[in-house]
């Protein structure tokens, strides 16, 4: 798959030349968790980026693509390319949507003489947030504080398509007061899988129950991950089981923006724990 | 076997409610998965070997005609016979003819997925020939009259108590009437029963892990040595193998063997690796008088040149299913045919039709672990997606699903309408969910809320809120000009 992606090396030298980033928040962040969008922007700005949020952004087209609807997926891919190609980079607080742009767009538009090369060019400049901060911008610490024991779930696409594993841990390590307790089976799928979770609720339910059992076994106060789909899924199951574990996107913690209610809680329900 | 893949959802429900199955499945992780990881870590060149294994198979698939011809010529030069079976029915007919010709009443078999694929045992029984499975797992499921649930551990779904019960019920006629509790005793008892069967058999049937073109040899790996007794004791040895099992040379076979056992069971090598080249020659101490190979196509050549060609690299190691969270939740029988897990999700629609097996490539989160561990680097998720595309193009997915997706895409392609939708959706759900921060139930969302709550949106759309804060939204004329680095919020 990665053969389709141009070498990421020929781009402006890493670190600290000011760059403009087109922030693609993803449809789930847009609708469910704007805090993650603001946290992402704050982290990008701390890494010396100017952040622009194109307001015509919608969805990367992954639901269509993974359901076999190539026509709509291609149309959405072209819209996205048009929208984001003016920026130095496009950064996404989601490994799954980031992987869609950087791995699957070139594949989808492979045979298109005009859009194929444009897809490849955008793919080469598209990053998942954690990978962008650490690998491209050379960030190795944040200035945030959180007195909590957290555990971390590696979302599948980020991990296996984009190699996101060490970067969030490196940054979390710099958060004052935070202890990371590694999750057994951190790399096991949580059972979200886009439309999978509603098409096969029995299987998805089993997978997320297993995941939640592992999370609860860590004894951590908080669960973090880098993908809203997985977070909504795990939060939904944790809350269904009456767990007091709080759930947040990792960007919220790294940006020091934990004053909002956690995912699936209100300020009240979170305080009552 | 009769496929039940179309009733996948019912199969799943049954599997979920089967406590003994669930107990058996829970052992995979600490068994195969950990052992594979240890074996891979212990061999520095493992990743390179995987590349080589992939390349060898790709090369063969690119020149299949040449290697089939060479293989056939080499087998015949050594006194063996090659039979070409375009379909499962052809293969069954050829094998039954061979059995009748040798006057066979009983046939011993060494575990072979391809004979499961062609439903050979049923066909033999129908003409009055008794097939006897000699691999312990395969023997167990034969007694239970069940299909295999895993391609290398066919009885993995059985607990040892269930096995003890089966033996008690079936071994009485051999004078074994004690209920056993220890696996080692069960193995011993099965061995004693099978020993006589080996001696009685008139013909032996095995599969093949590899067919070596340069020498006309077949290679078989087992951990029980049962294949060796199956092929060496009876007069006639019949090999049944898919055409994709070819490798060019012995050297290539050795590369494949180095990744096979490590991926399958975490062993460096299987306990028995047997090379068979033709029938017994003058002066040989053992071996069959008569050696036949049935080369099965059964839909395989039709995959060449399609987006499913890579699937023919599969060496049936089972790693993809061991690492698959869906397989681990539902077991192999839910897939409804011979091949379960990710490899089955791609291969089954190719062999029995996507109309029958359409669920299988859909029942995946695309988590990617299968591709990560596949020794020949088959891009399984990509091929499952290709099946979904074919289904979509033929209008095979449920209408509701198509409508939902179409509607979503319609909005996503119209940013203004989409903004209105996301802003309103976030606001309405946000307000409704304000009390608890989540929903236990929502109209039309039963697929989600049946097993988990739905966290409530915060109440604003990010893009709208960003814009309302007066933050940059317009596209810059030239992206790198006019920017001045960090702008702290
Ligand atoms: S697809 Fe790959 S991992 Fe699965 S059985 Fe075949 S070779 Fe093994």
């Amino acid at each position: 798959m990665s053969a389709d992606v141009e070498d990421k090396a020929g781009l402006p030298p890493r670190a600290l030349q000011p760059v403009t980033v087109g922030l693609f928040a993803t449809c789930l962040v847009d609708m469910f968790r704007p805090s993650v969008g603001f946290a992402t922007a704050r982290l990008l700005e701390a890494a010396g980026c100017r952040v622009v949020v194109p307001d015509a952004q919608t969805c990367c087209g992954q639901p269509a693509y993974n359901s076999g609807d190539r026509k709509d997926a291609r149309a959405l891919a072209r819209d996205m390319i048009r929208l984001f190609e003016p920026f130095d980079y496009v950064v996404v607080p989601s490994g799954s949507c980031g992987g869609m742009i950087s791995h699957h767009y070139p594949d989808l538009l492979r045979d298109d003489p005009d859009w194929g090369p444009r897809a490849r060019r955008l793919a080469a400049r598209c990053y998942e947030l954690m990978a962008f901060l650490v690998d491209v911008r050379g960030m190795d610490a944040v200035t945030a504080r959180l007195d909590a024991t957290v555990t971390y779930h590696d979302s599948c696409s980020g991990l296996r398509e984009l190699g996101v594993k060490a970067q969030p841990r490196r940054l979390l390590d710099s958060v004052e007061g935070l202890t990371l307790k590694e999750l057994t089976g951190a790399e096991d799928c949580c059972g979200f899988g886009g439309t999978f979770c509603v098409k096969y609720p029995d299987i998805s339910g089993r997978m997320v129950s297993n995941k939640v059992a592992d999370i609860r076994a860590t004894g951590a106060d908080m669960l973090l991950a880098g993908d809203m789909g997985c977070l909504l899924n795990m939060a939904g199951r944790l809350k269904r089981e009456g767990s007091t574990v709080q759930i947040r996107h990792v960007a919220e913690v790294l940006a020091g923006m934990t004053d909002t209610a956690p995912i699936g809680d209100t300020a009240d329900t979170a305080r009552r724990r | 076997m009769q496929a039940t893949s179309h009733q996948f959802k019912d199969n799943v429900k049954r599997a979920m409610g089967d406590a003994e199955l669930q107990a058996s499945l829970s052992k995979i992780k600490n068994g195969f998965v950990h052992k594979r990881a240890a074996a891979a870590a212990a061999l520095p060149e493992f990743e390179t070997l995987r590349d080589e294994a992939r390349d060898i198979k790709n090369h063969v698939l690119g020149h299949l005609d040449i290697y089939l011809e060479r293989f056939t010529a080499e087998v015949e030069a050594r006194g063996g016979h090659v039979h070409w079976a375009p379909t499962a029915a052809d293969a069954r007919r050829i094998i039954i003819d061979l059995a009748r010709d040798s006057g066979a009443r009983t046939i011993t078999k060494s575990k072979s997925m391809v004979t499961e694929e062609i439903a050979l045992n049923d066909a033999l029984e129908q003409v009055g020939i008794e097939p006897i499975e000699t691999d312990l797992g395969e023997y167990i499921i034969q007694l239970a009259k069940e299909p295999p649930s895993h391609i290398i551990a066919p009885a993995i779904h059985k607990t040892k108590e269930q096995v003890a019960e089966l033996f008690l019920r079936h071994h009485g006629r051999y004078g074994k009437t004690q209920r056993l509790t220890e696996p080692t005793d069960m193995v011993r008892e099965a061995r004693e029963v099978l020993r006589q069967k080996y001696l009685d058999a008139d013909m032996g049937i095995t599969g093949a892990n590899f067919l070596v073109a340069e020498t006309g040899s077949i290679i078989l790996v087992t951990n029980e040595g049962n294949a060796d007794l199956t092929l060496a004791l009876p007069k006639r040895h019949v090999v049944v193998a898919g055409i994709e099992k070819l490798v060019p040379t012995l050297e290539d076979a050795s590369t494949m063997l180095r990744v096979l056992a490590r991926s399958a069971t975490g062993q460096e090598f299987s306990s028995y690796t047997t090379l068979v080249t033709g029938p017994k020659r003058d002066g040989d101490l053992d071996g069959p008088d008569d050696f036949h190979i049935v080369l099965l196509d059964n839909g395989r050549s039709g995959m060449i040149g399609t987006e499913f060609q890579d699937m023919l690299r599969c060496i049936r190691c089972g790693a993809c299913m061991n690492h698959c969270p869906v397989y681990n939740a539902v077991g192999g029988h839910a897939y409804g045919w011979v091949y379960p897990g990710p490899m089955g999700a791609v291969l089954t629609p190719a062999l029995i039709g996507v109309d029958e097996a359409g669920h299988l490539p859909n029942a995946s989160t695309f988590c990617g672990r299968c591709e990560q561990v596949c020794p020949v680097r088959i891009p399984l998720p990509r091929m499952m997606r290709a099946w979904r595309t074919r289904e979509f193009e033929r209008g095979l997915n449920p209408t509701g699903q198509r409508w939902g997706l179409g509607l979503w895409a319609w909005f996503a392609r119209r940013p203004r309408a989409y903004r209105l939708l996301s802003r309103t959706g976030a606001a309405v759900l946000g307000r409704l969910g304000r009390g608890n921060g989540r929903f236990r139930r929502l109209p039309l969302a039963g697929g989600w809320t049946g097993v988990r709550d739905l966290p409530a949106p915060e109440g604003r759309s990010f893009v709208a809120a960003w814009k309302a804060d007066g933050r940059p939204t317009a596209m810059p004329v030239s992206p790198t000009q006019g920017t001045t680095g960090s702008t702290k919020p």
Side-chain angles (χ1 to χ4, degrees):
Chain A
M1 259 182 254
S2 47
D4 300 322
V5 180
E6 280 173 12
D7 184 12
K8 298 203 178 200
L11 295 162
R14 82 215 294 267
L16 312 178
Q17 185 176 329
V19 292
T20 301
V21 167
L23 167 56
F24 175 51
T26 78
C27 55
L28 289 178
V29 164
D30 179 49
M31 179 107 148
F32 279 87
R33 196 80 185 156
S35 300
V36 175
F38 287 106
T40 301
R42 183 178 284 181
L43 288 166
L44 288 171
E45 283 163 349
C49 308
R50 175 170 185 270
V51 180
V52 179
V53 177
D55 61 357
Q57 62 178 276
T58 61
C59 164
C60 67
Q62 200 174 173
Y65 180 60
N66 283 346
S67 303
D69 177 1
R70 298 251 158 155
K71 190 162 152 277
D72 281 323
R74 282 202 187 98
L76 283 165
R78 286 192 297 262
D79 292 348
M80 284 283 293
I81 293 168
R82 206 181 287 116
L83 194 60
F84 281 96
E85 64 189 354
F87 304 103
D88 296 331
Y89 294 100
V90 40
V91 174
V92 194
S94 154
S96 149
C97 311
M100 179 70 193
I101 299 170
S102 61
H103 282 349
H104 300 295
Y105 281 7
D107 210 31
L108 256 177
L109 298 166
R110 172 196 301 273
D111 299 327
D112 190 317
D114 175 24
W115 289 96
R118 288 170 78 175
R120 285 192 287 278
R121 276 196 298 274
L122 187 72
R125 291 181 288 129
C126 174
Y127 287 88
E128 184 277 340
L129 175 64
M130 297 297 121
F132 181 73
L133 293 174
V134 174
D135 301 341
V136 180
R137 301 303 287 174
M139 189 186 254
D140 59 5
V142 292
T143 48
R145 168 164 200 107
L146 182 74
D147 293 303
T149 302
V150 307
T151 192
Y152 188 85
H153 163 72
D154 296 289
S155 291
C156 299
S157 306
L159 176 72
R160 281 180 271 268
E161 286 187 339
L162 306 176
V164 178
K165 176 84 188 179
Q167 302 92 330
R169 289 172 174 77
R170 154 95 70 91
L171 296 179
L172 283 171
D173 198 35
S174 69
V175 175
E176 253 179 87
L178 182 146
T179 311
L180 176 66
K181 262 198 100 180
E182 284 292 353
L183 177 60
T184 319
E187 299 186 0
D188 292 352
C189 179
C190 74
F192 174 64
T195 55
F196 169 86
C197 68
V198 289
K199 279 195 298 190
Y200 298 97
D202 294 333
I203 308 175
S204 175
R206 176 62 52 85
M207 288 163 71
V208 71
S209 304
N210 292 345
K211 181 58 107 188
V212 157
D214 285 341
I215 294 167
R216 300 181 75 164
T218 61
D221 323 310
M222 189 180 284
L223 166 71
L224 302 177
D227 231 299
M228 268 320 279
C230 319
L231 284 163
L232 290 172
N233 183 40
M234 294 183 290
R237 183 65 206 180
L238 279 162
K239 297 299 149 185
R240 175 63 55 95
E241 291 183 11
S243 163
T244 55
V245 171
Q246 299 192 356
I247 301 99
R248 288 188 187 278
H249 192 287
V250 63
E252 299 172 36
V253 169
L254 294 177
M257 293 168 72
T258 48
D259 37 357
T260 53
I263 298 168
D265 273 314
T266 64
D268 275 353
T269 58
R271 210 172 301 123
R272 261 188 264 128
R273 28 178 258 105
Chain B
M1 72 185 264
Q2 187 65 41
T4 63
S5 306
H6 60 279
Q7 53 192 36
F8 179 74
K9 287 198 165 185
D10 295 334
N11 297 348
V12 164
K13 279 221 161 39
R14 203 169 322 118
M16 295 272 175
D18 183 339
E20 283 170 323
L21 169 67
Q22 294 298 330
S24 304
L25 289 172
S26 65
K27 284 178 274 182
I28 293 181
K29 201 165 174 171
N30 291 320
F32 290 144
V33 169
H34 287 179
K35 288 185 181 143
R36 181 208 169 268
L43 186 69
E45 68 268 34
F46 188 63
E47 294 305 312
T48 321
L49 277 174
R50 290 174 66 189
D51 291 340
E52 286 173 17
R54 173 199 57 205
D55 295 346
I56 289 168
K57 281 287 192 171
N58 277 347
H59 171 78
V60 171
L61 293 171
H63 305 86
L64 200 54
D65 47 347
I66 297 173
Y67 286 112
L68 279 168
E69 258 176 54
R70 174 79 192 271
F71 178 73
T72 306
E74 297 298 334
V75 171
E76 286 170 351
R78 287 164 177 77
H81 304 276
V82 177
H83 307 263
W84 174 248
T87 67
D90 295 322
R92 290 192 297 262
R93 186 181 39 74
I94 295 165
I95 296 161
I96 289 174
D97 286 350
L98 286 169
R100 282 185 165 146
D101 172 56
S102 58
R105 308 289 305 269
T106 64
I107 291 179
T108 40
K109 287 183 70 212
S110 160
K111 187 180 92 63
S112 140
M113 289 310 293
V114 80
T115 61
E116 294 282 353
E117 177 184 327
I118 63 172
L120 182 62
N121 287 0
D122 286 348
L124 289 171
E125 280 167 7
Q126 271 166 25
V127 298
I129 299 169
E130 189 196 1
I132 296 145
E133 296 291 351
T134 62
D135 169 89
L136 183 61
E138 197 75 27
Y139 175 70
I140 290 167
I141 59 162
Q142 191 185 24
L143 292 183
K145 295 199 183 325
E146 283 175 16
S149 69
H150 188 289
I151 60 171
I152 64 159
I156 198 163
H157 58 287
K158 290 262 177 254
T159 59
K160 71 174 191 218
E161 291 73 22
Q162 289 173 314
V163 174
E165 181 61 36
L166 275 171
F167 281 9
L168 193 63
R169 192 146 23 99
H170 291 273
H171 286 173
R173 59 185 145 129
Y174 308 111
K176 318 245 178 232
T177 50
Q178 216 189 331
R179 180 184 291 276
L180 304 173
T181 50
E182 289 307 311
T184 46
D185 293 334
M186 297 183 209
V187 173
R188 187 175 30 75
E189 184 171 298
R191 211 173 255 159
E192 284 165 13
V193 169
L194 284 171
R195 191 155 299 153
Q196 190 57 41
K197 307 271 182 189
Y198 285 121
L199 296 171
D200 295 345
D202 309 297
M203 186 167 117
I205 297 179
T206 69
N209 292 88
F210 302 101
L211 307 173
V212 185
E214 70 169 348
T215 57
S217 310
I218 69 149
I219 297 181
L220 274 164
V221 302
T222 70
N223 276 324
E224 298 167 19
N226 58 311
D228 306 75
L229 295 174
T230 302
L231 68 88
L233 293 180
K235 284 199 174 57
R236 174 167 277 177
H237 175 199
V238 177
V239 179
V240 193
I243 51 175
E244 82 284 10
K245 296 281 175 181
L246 277 163
V247 293
T249 64
L250 283 169
E251 178 102 28
D252 295 326
S254 117
T255 303
M256 305 308 297
L257 287 166
R258 293 187 73 195
V259 295
L260 174 59
R262 287 181 168 89
S263 303
T265 52
Q267 292 165 288
E268 288 180 8
F269 237 62
S270 304
S271 308
Y272 297 85
T273 301
T274 308
L275 252 130
V276 183
T277 312
K280 181 157 110 182
R281 294 163 303 184
D282 291 343
D284 279 356
L285 289 180
D286 57 14
D289 297 339
D290 196 27
F291 178 74
H292 294 263
I293 296 186
V294 181
L295 289 176
L296 179 73
D297 184 341
N298 204 27
R300 289 163 172 77
S301 59
M303 293 164 71
I304 304 257
T306 71
E307 64 260 65
F308 304 110
Q309 173 170 323
D310 290 346
M311 193 62 224
L312 296 174
R313 292 205 296 263
C314 176
I315 56 173
R316 307 288 191 269
C317 72
C320 55
M321 57 200 73
N322 295 337
H323 291 77
C324 174
V326 174
Y327 178 93
N328 272 276
V330 304
H333 287 163
Y335 291 79
W337 201 55
V338 184
Y339 300 113
M343 58 83 75
V346 176
L347 194 57
T348 305
L351 298 185
I352 66 173
V354 72
D355 303 70
E356 168 68 34
H359 271 299
L360 310 189
N362 280 285
S364 163
T365 62
F366 289 156
C367 81
R369 281 197 84 180
C370 48
E371 181 174 359
Q372 192 184 21
V373 297
C374 174
V376 284
R377 302 199 190 279
I378 299 176
L380 293 150
R382 169 201 285 258
M383 284 187 286
M384 286 184 231
R385 195 184 288 108
W387 277 121
R388 296 183 190 185
T389 304
R390 290 216 181 168
E391 285 179 78
F392 188 89
E393 280 161 4
R394 288 182 48 198
L396 294 177
N397 19 12
T399 324
Q401 205 181 308
R402 294 178 77 86
W403 266 86
L405 276 170
L407 201 63
W408 177 250
W410 189 92
F411 275 104
R413 295 225 53 210
R414 287 163 184 79
R416 276 164 182 281
Y418 182 93
R419 291 267 73 83
L420 193 66
L421 181 77
S422 76
R423 227 176 39 224
T424 322
V428 171
L429 286 179
R431 175 143 343 131
L432 290 174
R434 208 162 37 192
N436 289 317
R438 54 188 177 261
F439 300 95
R440 283 193 74 87
R441 217 168 275 113
L442 263 186
L444 302 177
W448 182 281
T449 54
V451 286
R452 67 217 125 194
D453 292 355
L454 180 69
E458 286 181 302
R460 305 184 299 170
S461 135
F462 168 66
V463 174
W466 176 269
K467 207 169 169 182
D469 276 9
R471 307 290 311 269
T473 57
M475 282 186 284
V477 185
S478 166
T480 40
Q481 276 169 18
T483 57
T484 49
S486 161
T487 44
K488 283 262 173 227

